Amino acid sequence: MRFPEPVRSADDHASPVWARPKRRSSGGGGGFVGLIVTLLALFGVLTAVLGIKEQSLAEGGAMMDGWITAGVNQGKTLIGQAPEAAEVAADKAGEAAEKTGDALEAGAATTAETLKTQ
């Protein structure tokens, strides 16, 4: 069996191909930057499509502004309802805890009676 000749890598070290160091990725920030670039590209495509559809970039932008305004208003409405929803959820949790406590007390009493009679 013949061994392959060592190959010189970019940093001028003579080593077999399988012993070369692995290349490191660019780090954790690359994914975030890629996401931002992708979102900006999608925004640009949407702007171009709406500009073509409405035959004016201003009218396409106005349409997108309407969508953004509707989304912000819906978000404000949902945020305004959050304290009320939290209060209702807390009341329901309190009622459930009371029912659980009552059930545990009833179970404990039944168990105590069973143990006394045996």
Side-chain angles (χ1 to χ4, degrees):
M1 182 166 134
R2 192 169 166 204
F3 293 104
E5 293 290 322
V7 177
R8 295 207 179 269
S9 62
D11 54 358
D12 204 32
H13 288 101
S15 63
V17 174
W18 62 84
R20 288 185 189 170
K22 303 281 188 234
R23 293 183 186 233
R24 294 185 182 179
S25 63
S26 61
F32 180 71
V33 171
L35 176 68
I36 296 298
V37 168
T38 302
L39 290 176
L40 287 173
L42 288 174
F43 182 74
V45 168
L46 179 64
T47 302
V49 168
L50 287 175
I52 292 169
K53 179 184 173 235
E54 298 295 322
Q55 297 178 351
S56 168
L57 285 177
E59 290 179 19
M63 184 181 288
M64 285 184 3
D65 285 344
W67 294 342
I68 292 170
T69 302
V72 168
N73 289 338
Q74 183 67 25
K76 286 181 181 178
T77 302
L78 291 175
I79 289 171
Q81 295 173 354
E84 295 168 3
E87 187 175 329
V88 169
D91 290 342
K92 288 183 180 180
E95 291 171 4
E98 287 177 20
K99 288 180 183 178
T100 303
D102 293 343
L104 287 174
E105 286 179 21
T110 304
T111 303
E113 287 298 321
T114 304
L115 289 175
K116 285 181 185 177
T117 58
Q118 288 181 355

